[in-house]
Amino acid sequence: MDMTGRGGRPTRKVPLPKHPGNTYLPFKDLIKLEKIDDRTYRSIALPFAPGGPLGVGRSYGAHVYMQACYAACQTVAEGFLIHNVSGNFILSGELTVPFVYKVHIIRNGRSYCTRIVNVTQSQSKGICFTCTVSFKTPEPLQISAQENVKIFEKYSSVLHNKSPTDFPECPSMDLPFYYNLLKSGTVTNDSFPGLECRKVDMSAYNRDLHPLDRRQLIFYRTIGTLPSDDPNMHLCAHIFATDRNSLYIVANHFELGDYFTAMSSLAHTVTIHSPMEELRFGKGGKRTGTVLDDRDGKGRWFCMEVNGDRIGYGRALYHGRFWSSDGTHIMTAMQDGLIRFTNKQEASAEERKFMDEQNLRWRDQSKRRKDEKL
């Protein structure tokens, strides 16, 4: 049972013990799998626990997501690269029990192939996660079009004269109660494995915007180098980034990070758009003359641009676009998640009053937003 109150605040009297999975583990070690047979694999590294001692004691969802993808990668022929993943979170991930990945071959084609991966931990509880992973072989450039977004121009109010390392690491839980504790020095941020993720302070950009127009930028790169001969490992590192504080961000954009009673990922989809040369992590690489280039020998940066597209009826929709240093739109992610503001079938009078006030507030702002765009 989750021992949390509104806004993810812990209600347990004694904090959880420190979790050994909350460490700066290189990504190539985080993703490693033990082979049981040709279609079955088992996790080795422990997953990240959001919030550490103050969290709910469950696994970061992208751990099982990216490892399920990597298990599927072990069953495809050389040259096939991940291009789409759609996964469903069924049960919360346990922190100390290995994940077991069973890969099912759906189709092997000349250009595309498909796998389904079912994941278990405790056998008696059944499948905790399932996903469909689609692979394709590279194709030559044909017709190509994307929205022209220059991140450092569009967000100049928060990025001017800044580089990724000028911003703090993403908080272990991106919630008001947690970063207030960080600010006061009451807690220290938990180490995040696999990726270095830097959260941009978007206050100046978001302040006067409707929640649907607000954005969050996160710069990310791998911890440690990745093998150049395993391109799917690079793709799995990008996939691992797609769930970083996802639903927290949506709640915060609607200024509800202090009020929700339950939050959980339900379904998560990732589509990769670009060829492999646009997606490789590591030292050196493509030089673009921006601060996202590898300037300290630790590898190039990528940028995720996140917003909430919809909230209502106990759910919220997260949307993320991912950019390379030269402004190429390399990947898109979307998540349907659970966000509740009452734990009862019928909201209390106090809860109903709060929700009615919020609905009226954003409805009024939506009208002004529409008028301003005309």
Short mmCIF file of all heavy atoms in Angstrom, two decimals, residues 157-187:
data_model
loop_
_atom_site.label_atom_id
_atom_site.label_comp_id
_atom_site.label_asym_id
_atom_site.label_seq_id
_atom_site.Cartn_x
_atom_site.Cartn_y
_atom_site.Cartn_z
N SER A 157 14.27 33.24 -22.83
CA SER A 157 14.03 33.86 -21.52
C SER A 157 14.57 33.02 -20.38
O SER A 157 14.83 33.55 -19.29
CB SER A 157 12.52 34.10 -21.32
OG SER A 157 11.81 32.87 -21.36
N VAL A 158 14.78 31.73 -20.62
CA VAL A 158 15.30 30.86 -19.56
C VAL A 158 16.64 30.22 -19.92
O VAL A 158 17.31 29.65 -19.05
CB VAL A 158 14.28 29.75 -19.19
CG1 VAL A 158 13.03 30.36 -18.58
CG2 VAL A 158 13.93 28.90 -20.41
N LEU A 159 17.05 30.32 -21.20
CA LEU A 159 18.27 29.64 -21.64
C LEU A 159 19.40 30.59 -22.02
O LEU A 159 20.52 30.12 -22.29
CB LEU A 159 17.97 28.74 -22.85
CG LEU A 159 17.05 27.54 -22.61
CD1 LEU A 159 16.87 26.76 -23.91
CD2 LEU A 159 17.60 26.63 -21.52
N HIS A 160 19.15 31.89 -22.06
CA HIS A 160 20.16 32.83 -22.52
C HIS A 160 21.45 32.70 -21.70
O HIS A 160 21.43 32.77 -20.47
CB HIS A 160 19.63 34.26 -22.43
CG HIS A 160 20.60 35.29 -22.94
ND1 HIS A 160 21.02 35.33 -24.26
CD2 HIS A 160 21.24 36.31 -22.30
CE1 HIS A 160 21.86 36.32 -24.41
NE2 HIS A 160 22.02 36.94 -23.25
N ASN A 161 22.55 32.50 -22.41
CA ASN A 161 23.88 32.38 -21.79
C ASN A 161 23.98 31.21 -20.81
O ASN A 161 24.80 31.23 -19.89
CB ASN A 161 24.28 33.68 -21.08
CG ASN A 161 24.64 34.78 -22.05
OD1 ASN A 161 25.05 34.51 -23.19
ND2 ASN A 161 24.47 36.03 -21.64
N LYS A 162 23.14 30.20 -21.01
CA LYS A 162 23.16 29.04 -20.12
C LYS A 162 23.64 27.80 -20.89
O LYS A 162 23.45 27.68 -22.10
CB LYS A 162 21.76 28.76 -19.58
CG LYS A 162 21.16 29.87 -18.73
CD LYS A 162 21.76 29.91 -17.35
CE LYS A 162 21.02 30.90 -16.46
NZ LYS A 162 21.59 30.96 -15.11
N SER A 163 24.22 26.88 -20.16
CA SER A 163 24.54 25.56 -20.69
C SER A 163 23.88 24.53 -19.79
O SER A 163 23.45 24.85 -18.67
CB SER A 163 26.06 25.34 -20.72
OG SER A 163 26.59 25.35 -19.41
N PRO A 164 23.74 23.28 -20.24
CA PRO A 164 23.03 22.28 -19.43
C PRO A 164 23.53 22.16 -18.00
O PRO A 164 22.73 22.01 -17.06
CB PRO A 164 23.24 20.99 -20.22
CG PRO A 164 23.33 21.44 -21.64
CD PRO A 164 24.09 22.73 -21.58
N THR A 165 24.84 22.22 -17.80
CA THR A 165 25.37 22.03 -16.45
C THR A 165 25.13 23.23 -15.53
O THR A 165 25.42 23.16 -14.34
CB THR A 165 26.88 21.71 -16.50
OG1 THR A 165 27.55 22.71 -17.28
CG2 THR A 165 27.12 20.34 -17.10
N ASP A 166 24.59 24.32 -16.07
CA ASP A 166 24.20 25.45 -15.22
C ASP A 166 22.91 25.16 -14.45
O ASP A 166 22.57 25.89 -13.52
CB ASP A 166 24.01 26.72 -16.05
CG ASP A 166 25.31 27.26 -16.61
OD1 ASP A 166 26.34 27.11 -15.93
OD2 ASP A 166 25.30 27.81 -17.73
N PHE A 167 22.20 24.11 -14.86
CA PHE A 167 20.94 23.77 -14.23
C PHE A 167 21.12 22.58 -13.29
O PHE A 167 22.00 21.74 -13.50
CB PHE A 167 19.88 23.46 -15.29
CG PHE A 167 19.60 24.61 -16.21
CD1 PHE A 167 20.13 24.64 -17.49
CD2 PHE A 167 18.83 25.67 -15.79
CE1 PHE A 167 19.89 25.70 -18.34
CE2 PHE A 167 18.58 26.75 -16.64
CZ PHE A 167 19.11 26.76 -17.92
N PRO A 168 20.29 22.48 -12.26
CA PRO A 168 20.43 21.37 -11.30
C PRO A 168 19.95 20.05 -11.89
O PRO A 168 19.19 20.03 -12.87
CB PRO A 168 19.54 21.81 -10.13
CG PRO A 168 18.48 22.66 -10.78
CD PRO A 168 19.19 23.40 -11.88
N GLU A 169 20.39 18.97 -11.28
CA GLU A 169 19.87 17.67 -11.67
C GLU A 169 18.37 17.61 -11.38
O GLU A 169 17.87 18.27 -10.46
CB GLU A 169 20.58 16.56 -10.89
CG GLU A 169 22.04 16.39 -11.26
CD GLU A 169 22.68 15.24 -10.51
OE1 GLU A 169 21.96 14.48 -9.84
OE2 GLU A 169 23.91 15.09 -10.60
N CYS A 170 17.66 16.83 -12.16
CA CYS A 170 16.22 16.66 -11.91
C CYS A 170 16.00 16.16 -10.49
O CYS A 170 16.72 15.27 -10.02
CB CYS A 170 15.63 15.65 -12.88
SG CYS A 170 15.52 16.22 -14.58
N PRO A 171 15.01 16.71 -9.80
CA PRO A 171 14.71 16.19 -8.46
C PRO A 171 14.21 14.76 -8.53
O PRO A 171 13.56 14.36 -9.50
CB PRO A 171 13.63 17.14 -7.94
CG PRO A 171 13.01 17.73 -9.16
CD PRO A 171 14.10 17.79 -10.20
N SER A 172 14.51 14.01 -7.51
CA SER A 172 14.10 12.61 -7.45
C SER A 172 12.59 12.47 -7.60
O SER A 172 12.10 11.55 -8.25
CB SER A 172 14.56 12.00 -6.12
OG SER A 172 14.20 10.66 -6.02
N MET A 173 11.85 13.37 -6.97
CA MET A 173 10.41 13.50 -7.18
C MET A 173 10.17 14.97 -7.51
O MET A 173 10.46 15.84 -6.69
CB MET A 173 9.61 13.11 -5.93
CG MET A 173 9.78 11.68 -5.50
SD MET A 173 8.91 11.34 -3.94
CE MET A 173 7.21 11.25 -4.51
N ASP A 174 9.65 15.25 -8.68
CA ASP A 174 9.47 16.65 -9.10
C ASP A 174 8.13 17.15 -8.57
O ASP A 174 7.19 17.40 -9.33
CB ASP A 174 9.55 16.75 -10.62
CG ASP A 174 9.77 18.19 -11.07
OD1 ASP A 174 9.66 19.10 -10.22
OD2 ASP A 174 10.06 18.41 -12.25
N LEU A 175 8.08 17.31 -7.26
CA LEU A 175 6.87 17.73 -6.58
C LEU A 175 7.19 18.85 -5.60
O LEU A 175 8.29 18.89 -5.04
CB LEU A 175 6.23 16.56 -5.83
CG LEU A 175 5.69 15.43 -6.71
CD1 LEU A 175 5.28 14.23 -5.86
CD2 LEU A 175 4.51 15.91 -7.55
N PRO A 176 6.24 19.77 -5.36
CA PRO A 176 6.52 20.91 -4.48
C PRO A 176 7.05 20.52 -3.11
O PRO A 176 8.00 21.12 -2.61
CB PRO A 176 5.16 21.61 -4.39
CG PRO A 176 4.50 21.29 -5.69
CD PRO A 176 4.92 19.89 -6.01
N PHE A 177 6.46 19.50 -2.47
CA PHE A 177 6.91 19.15 -1.13
C PHE A 177 8.36 18.71 -1.15
O PHE A 177 9.13 19.02 -0.23
CB PHE A 177 6.02 18.05 -0.52
CG PHE A 177 6.55 16.65 -0.68
CD1 PHE A 177 7.42 16.11 0.26
CD2 PHE A 177 6.21 15.88 -1.79
CE1 PHE A 177 7.92 14.82 0.11
CE2 PHE A 177 6.71 14.60 -1.95
CZ PHE A 177 7.57 14.07 -1.00
N TYR A 178 8.77 18.02 -2.24
CA TYR A 178 10.11 17.46 -2.29
C TYR A 178 11.15 18.54 -2.57
O TYR A 178 12.18 18.62 -1.90
CB TYR A 178 10.19 16.35 -3.34
CG TYR A 178 11.50 15.59 -3.30
CD1 TYR A 178 11.68 14.55 -2.40
CD2 TYR A 178 12.56 15.92 -4.15
CE1 TYR A 178 12.88 13.85 -2.34
CE2 TYR A 178 13.75 15.23 -4.10
CZ TYR A 178 13.91 14.19 -3.19
OH TYR A 178 15.10 13.51 -3.13
N TYR A 179 10.87 19.42 -3.56
CA TYR A 179 11.91 20.42 -3.81
C TYR A 179 11.93 21.52 -2.77
O TYR A 179 12.93 22.22 -2.63
CB TYR A 179 11.91 20.96 -5.25
CG TYR A 179 10.63 21.35 -5.89
CD1 TYR A 179 9.95 22.50 -5.52
CD2 TYR A 179 10.11 20.60 -6.94
CE1 TYR A 179 8.79 22.87 -6.16
CE2 TYR A 179 8.94 20.97 -7.58
CZ TYR A 179 8.28 22.11 -7.19
OH TYR A 179 7.12 22.48 -7.81
N ASN A 180 10.87 21.66 -1.98
CA ASN A 180 10.96 22.55 -0.82
C ASN A 180 11.90 21.97 0.24
O ASN A 180 12.66 22.71 0.89
CB ASN A 180 9.58 22.78 -0.21
CG ASN A 180 8.73 23.73 -1.05
OD1 ASN A 180 9.27 24.52 -1.83
ND2 ASN A 180 7.42 23.65 -0.92
N LEU A 181 11.87 20.65 0.40
CA LEU A 181 12.81 19.99 1.31
C LEU A 181 14.24 20.10 0.79
O LEU A 181 15.18 20.31 1.57
CB LEU A 181 12.43 18.52 1.49
CG LEU A 181 11.12 18.23 2.25
CD1 LEU A 181 10.83 16.73 2.25
CD2 LEU A 181 11.20 18.76 3.68
N LEU A 182 14.41 19.97 -0.53
CA LEU A 182 15.74 20.14 -1.11
C LEU A 182 16.27 21.55 -0.87
O LEU A 182 17.42 21.75 -0.49
CB LEU A 182 15.69 19.87 -2.62
CG LEU A 182 15.55 18.43 -3.10
CD1 LEU A 182 15.44 18.41 -4.63
CD2 LEU A 182 16.73 17.59 -2.65
N LYS A 183 15.40 22.53 -1.09
CA LYS A 183 15.79 23.93 -0.94
C LYS A 183 16.20 24.25 0.49
O LYS A 183 17.14 25.02 0.73
CB LYS A 183 14.64 24.84 -1.39
CG LYS A 183 14.99 26.31 -1.46
CD LYS A 183 13.82 27.12 -2.00
CE LYS A 183 14.16 28.60 -2.07
NZ LYS A 183 13.02 29.39 -2.61
N SER A 184 15.50 23.64 1.44
CA SER A 184 15.80 23.91 2.85
C SER A 184 16.99 23.12 3.36
O SER A 184 17.48 23.37 4.46
CB SER A 184 14.57 23.58 3.71
OG SER A 184 14.33 22.18 3.72
N GLY A 185 17.45 22.16 2.56
CA GLY A 185 18.57 21.33 2.98
C GLY A 185 18.16 20.17 3.88
O GLY A 185 19.02 19.47 4.42
N THR A 186 16.85 19.95 4.02
CA THR A 186 16.36 18.86 4.87
C THR A 186 16.70 17.50 4.27
O THR A 186 16.97 16.54 5.00
CB THR A 186 14.83 18.98 5.05
OG1 THR A 186 14.53 20.28 5.56
CG2 THR A 186 14.31 17.92 6.01
N VAL A 187 16.67 17.41 2.93
CA VAL A 187 17.03 16.17 2.25
C VAL A 187 18.04 16.49 1.16
O VAL A 187 18.19 17.65 0.74
CB VAL A 187 15.80 15.47 1.62
CG1 VAL A 187 14.77 15.12 2.68
CG2 VAL A 187 15.18 16.33 0.53
#
